[in-house]
Amino acid sequence: MLNTKLLRQLSLSALGGLLLLATSGHGQDDGQDDTTTRRVSGPIKPAVAPGKVEVAPGYFLFPIAPGQPGFLAASMGELRPNHFHGGLDIKTGGGVNKPVYAAADGYISRLKQSAFGYGNVLYITHPNGLTTVYGHLNKFEGAVAAELLHRQYEKQTYELELFFQPGQFPVKRGEQVALSGNTGGSAGPHVHWEVRDAQDRQLNPLQWGGFAEIQDHTGPTLQALAVEPLAITARVRGRFERAVLVPRLQPLPGANTVWPDTVRCFGQVGLLLQGFDRFDNAWNKNGIQRVTVRVNGQPHYQHIIDAVPFPNGTRQVNNFVDYAYAHTSGRTLQKLWVEDGDDLPFYTPAGLGQGKLDVQDGQVYRIDFELADSYNNKATAHLVLRGEKPTDYAKLPGAAAPGRSKLTYDITRNLLRATALNAPTDTAGQPQYLLLRRGGRQLALRPSYSVGAATTYLYDLRAGLPDSLLLGSLHQAFDRQVMIAPGQETNYATPYVNVAFGSQTLFSNLYLSTVHRADASPLAPESWTVGTALVPLYLPLRLTLKPASPPADHARTAIYSVSANGGRAYVGGTWNEAGTQISANLKQFGQFRLYTDTKAPSAQLVGRAGGQLTFRVGDDMSGLATYKLLVGGRFRLLRYEYKNATLFTVAGDTLGPKLRGPAELHLADQAGNEKVIPLSL
């Protein structure tokens, strides 16, 4: 039920001032900050993760060209799509087959060959309990490579993962274990190198003193700051909107950036930041390791990205940043507070607080930011906030918008934010109340503020979901059907879809919309839209589609996600015994259709360089699933490179048959379509 008393508390606002941006000078600042509600004296100390292993400087050898100048393509903790970067990307001069050396004594505990992810990857476990990981390799070396080849022929597959006991394949510090490559999800030749602990957390290899091979005297670069209202009564510059503060000229690395004008705000607000770091003599942009904030000279917030839980914890990057803003603006802002659902081990010390700032009327808050990399190079920024209590309704300056009236809404932080363009007015010339309807009841919601011709109304959806919004003659249906809370297993079903949420699917409350259309396209006559792609998922949900007209060919019909430009990606799915519904796990909301794939994959022999074979392969829908080359009826190992859609034999293969005489290339796609291509070698 909608609550009138609550609504009267949901429409406060405040005036905001204009802001000019400037930067001044170069310098460093050791300052850190605190909220007005909790003050902690003294410096913030780095976090020590539970069970963290201390490593003496120099324990690990740099695994590529040790003792020579080296360069990194990526640092630990960079903000990537759907994950934190979990180690160091070491450049290999743009080429492959560079020697890769064991970073310390230990034994090869695991290796994997795959066309995706880390590609060919090697794991070495060390006496101190840590494991080093070497990814995107081209070739393994030594006895373990022979063991892998033997097992591949035994299983008749290239894609294979093996685990080993401590005594099987010991290695010494500095021993060559592999050759570098460009396999898996690599976007260019390099070695991805990690250090992991016994809990499989990805640790920052630079935290134990760095490496002489990697020189870094360059401080981070600030790109933007932002202030965001976090509660319904909060305002930034008089509005319930984020203020993004971008310098007219980007500061130099390590600069001290100062905004001389005051940002007026009120209530609970959060600070955000965008920036990057660089190593010496390298132009690629890397992540910022440490961000520290002080408020009025007192510690307020700090995160240090030195340990990322793997594999699930790394997806919390979508909660660590403003996910929706990154996907709509192209600007990735990292939150400088601990968001709901965030249990990352980045924040220190534990008793400092959550990073949210309560701005009181008439109070001034001097904010100092410090950005630092793993070599302790720094950049600083300074911002001043001033508390200004909002009035019940404020009319702020803004542009006129001649034309018809229009009513729209969006949802952020449990709040419905409705915006009326040229809202109808009452007899006093004020915008009329917005009516929220549910069933036979309605609730009058007064305006919070107007900016020019646009009037904003705010409502906390936790008080109940409306069916529609009405403002004068303007009517807008409310399309969210249910609120799904995080932390529990929940099912939501309609005649056309079922969405099953696990206890760790969501970061925060979700206001879910599902839409079924029966006229999508001739090839896929039905479509389902589930949620919005601007809301991230932590762990997958289970989606079940119930088509009104089930397909005739269930075996070759699967779920595909459909992009706004018409592109489609295979999701898969399993049909029930009755053939009336299909289910699959989803990592992202979006639009989905059912397509039937009846066309087998294709391949063409395009090369015989060095006596080896290279095939160009393709599949127009579901994608290649399996492949096998038989020469004279005997299995011959093939590698698959999805980045250029090729299959190729492996030089140095001593177990397979010679590439002579009659042969067959067997292909199958994910829909089960098979093709056999005869060859004469």
Side-chain angles (χ1 to χ4, degrees):
M1 179 182 298
L2 302 179
N3 187 305
T4 305
K5 183 176 180 181
L6 174 63
L7 265 291
R8 290 173 181 159
Q9 302 171 357
L10 303 184
S11 55
L12 299 178
S13 63
L15 293 173
L18 299 176
L19 181 66
L20 298 176
L21 304 181
T23 61
S24 64
H26 301 273
Q28 296 182 340
D29 180 9
D30 292 329
Q32 310 182 33
D33 311 50
D34 186 15
T35 64
T36 55
T37 56
R38 177 175 176 83
R39 297 184 181 277
V40 180
S41 60
I44 296 177
K45 298 180 180 179
V48 177
K52 176 178 177 180
V53 177
E54 294 295 337
V55 177
Y59 178 84
F60 288 122
L61 179 76
F62 197 66
I64 298 292
Q68 301 178 32
F71 302 95
L72 299 182
S75 61
M76 171 73 187
E78 288 182 17
L79 310 177
R80 300 288 183 83
N82 299 315
H83 71 283
F84 292 97
H85 187 253
L88 306 180
D89 282 353
I90 305 172
K91 295 184 179 183
T92 56
V96 299
N97 292 329
K98 306 295 183 183
V100 178
Y101 301 100
D105 291 355
Y107 69 96
I108 297 173
S109 54
R110 175 184 172 193
L111 61 76
K112 182 178 182 180
Q113 293 212 179
S114 173
F116 302 95
Y118 285 7
N120 300 337
V121 56
L122 183 77
Y123 299 75
I124 299 177
T125 298
H126 305 285
N128 61 3
L130 299 180
T131 295
T132 48
V133 183
Y134 311 74
H136 307 307
L137 304 172
N138 196 35
K139 184 177 181 294
F140 302 112
E141 297 278 48
V144 75
E147 174 68 14
L148 171 64
L149 185 63
H150 174 77
R151 299 283 287 274
Q152 285 173 317
Y153 270 91
E154 182 182 84
K155 301 288 185 181
Q156 292 199 0
T157 179
Y158 173 79
E159 304 258 339
L160 195 62
E161 183 172 17
L162 301 176
F163 296 85
F164 305 111
Q165 296 301 315
Q168 283 185 268
F169 299 105
V171 294
K172 287 292 187 180
R173 185 179 192 268
E175 180 180 341
Q176 184 175 333
V177 293
L179 295 176
S180 70
N182 186 28
T183 58
S186 171
H190 72 279
V191 171
H192 175 85
W193 186 57
E194 296 180 12
V195 178
R196 297 189 189 180
D197 65 12
Q199 290 75 45
D200 232 14
R201 288 177 297 190
Q202 298 168 312
L203 307 180
N204 179 17
L206 299 179
Q207 67 181 294
W208 300 298
F211 295 92
E213 292 83 355
I214 303 300
Q215 291 296 306
D216 186 4
H217 302 85
T218 305
T221 297
L222 177 72
Q223 293 172 285
L225 292 172
V227 186
E228 177 177 337
L230 301 181
I232 196 168
T233 55
R235 298 289 183 271
V236 175
R237 299 198 291 199
R239 312 179 188 189
F240 188 79
E241 294 179 13
R242 176 191 303 106
V244 180
L245 313 176
V246 182
R248 296 179 186 274
L249 296 175
Q250 182 173 289
L252 294 172
N256 177 40
T257 305
V258 177
W259 282 267
D261 294 339
T262 297
V263 179
R264 296 174 181 171
C265 52
F266 181 80
Q268 189 178 80
V269 301
L271 304 168
L272 304 94
L273 174 147
Q274 181 191 23
F276 63 87
D277 186 45
R278 284 191 170 114
F279 293 89
D280 291 359
N281 303 312
W283 286 102
N284 48 283
K285 296 179 179 179
N286 304 114
I288 297 172
Q289 205 67 30
R290 184 175 79 240
V291 176
T292 304
V293 183
R294 281 183 179 269
V295 176
N296 293 333
Q298 296 296 320
H300 173 67
Y301 169 90
Q302 180 171 263
H303 72 245
I304 304 173
I305 308 180
D306 271 346
V308 177
F310 187 82
N312 291 335
T314 192
R315 284 188 64 86
Q316 289 200 44
V317 69
N318 293 335
N319 200 26
F320 183 77
V321 304
D322 190 316
Y323 183 86
Y325 189 71
H327 283 73
T328 54
S329 72
R331 185 183 294 277
T332 301
L333 296 171
Q334 51 187 295
K335 302 169 185 175
L336 303 183
W337 71 88
V338 183
E339 186 64 277
D340 294 342
D342 181 346
D343 62 359
L344 290 165
F346 295 171
Y347 309 104
T348 177
L352 184 61
Q354 299 298 298
K356 299 173 182 178
L357 179 62
D358 292 318
V359 177
Q360 303 296 322
D361 186 36
Q363 299 297 310
V364 174
Y365 302 81
R366 295 174 176 83
I367 317 294
D368 292 295
F369 304 84
E370 181 183 274
L371 293 61
D373 60 28
S374 293
Y375 286 71
N376 208 33
N377 303 296
K378 299 176 183 178
T380 59
H382 182 74
L383 173 68
V384 176
L385 308 181
R386 179 176 148 192
E388 185 174 285
K389 187 175 182 179
T391 59
D392 285 350
Y393 170 73
K395 189 168 181 61
L396 306 177
R404 299 177 58 183
S405 299
K406 185 179 180 181
L407 179 61
T408 59
Y409 69 85
D410 59 22
I411 295 173
T412 179
R413 301 194 170 278
N414 296 300
L415 300 182
L416 168 69
R417 179 172 59 186
T419 303
L421 195 63
N422 297 317
T425 57
D426 58 22
T427 55
Q430 298 296 311
Q432 291 183 11
Y433 280 33
L434 175 69
L435 299 181
L436 303 181
R437 289 184 168 178
R438 183 178 180 87
R441 301 181 181 183
Q442 65 182 29
L443 179 68
L445 182 64
R446 65 186 176 187
S448 294
Y449 57 87
S450 295
V451 180
T455 299
T456 295
Y457 303 80
L458 298 173
Y459 167 67
D460 193 324
L461 289 167
R462 289 171 293 187
L465 305 188
D467 297 324
S468 61
L469 292 69
L470 182 65
L471 184 65
S473 61
L474 301 176
H475 180 271
Q476 178 71 52
F478 186 71
D479 68 351
R480 309 304 169 95
Q481 295 138 354
V482 65
M483 186 193 84
I484 308 293
Q488 59 192 29
E489 296 184 357
T490 306
N491 250 27
Y492 176 73
T494 75
Y496 300 103
V497 69
N498 185 86
V499 190
F501 298 87
S503 61
Q504 291 184 286
T505 298
L506 300 174
F507 291 113
S508 57
N509 287 340
L510 169 70
Y511 297 90
L512 179 66
S513 169
T514 63
V515 178
H516 173 259
R517 288 183 55 203
D519 57 348
S521 74
L523 288 178
E526 296 180 73
S527 73
W528 293 259
T529 301
V530 181
T532 168
L534 297 181
V535 173
L537 299 178
Y538 182 19
L539 298 189
L541 58 79
R542 187 71 172 172
L543 174 68
T544 300
L545 303 183
K546 310 171 189 177
S549 302
D553 189 349
H554 293 88
R556 291 176 172 83
T557 302
I559 302 173
Y560 291 74
S561 64
V562 182
S563 64
N565 62 7
R568 60 192 176 195
Y570 179 82
V571 174
T574 303
W575 289 92
N576 64 350
E577 290 186 9
T580 57
Q581 58 187 41
I582 182 173
S583 301
N585 292 333
L586 287 186
K587 292 184 177 181
Q588 186 173 357
F589 289 124
Q591 184 182 110
F592 305 94
R593 296 181 185 176
L594 299 178
Y595 287 103
T596 302
D597 181 1
T598 59
K599 187 176 179 181
S602 62
Q604 180 182 6
L605 181 61
V606 295
R608 294 175 177 263
Q612 302 302 313
L613 306 180
T614 301
F615 301 90
R616 181 84 60 191
V617 296
D619 187 80
D620 67 336
M621 288 191 68
S622 60
L624 187 65
T626 64
Y627 50 88
K628 181 182 291 187
L629 177 63
L630 299 178
V631 180
R634 296 174 58 198
F635 174 81
R636 174 69 190 235
L637 193 66
L638 284 176
R639 286 175 60 170
Y640 176 46
E641 178 52 70
Y642 80 92
K643 294 192 289 291
N644 57 16
T646 58
L647 288 168
F648 53 95
T649 55
V650 180
D653 181 349
T654 59
L655 296 184
K658 295 184 181 300
L659 299 174
R660 298 174 186 170
E664 293 178 341
L665 179 61
H666 293 245
L667 304 174
D669 63 19
Q670 298 194 81
N673 299 299
E674 298 180 352
K675 187 170 187 177
V676 178
I677 301 172
L679 302 165
S680 180
L681 304 178

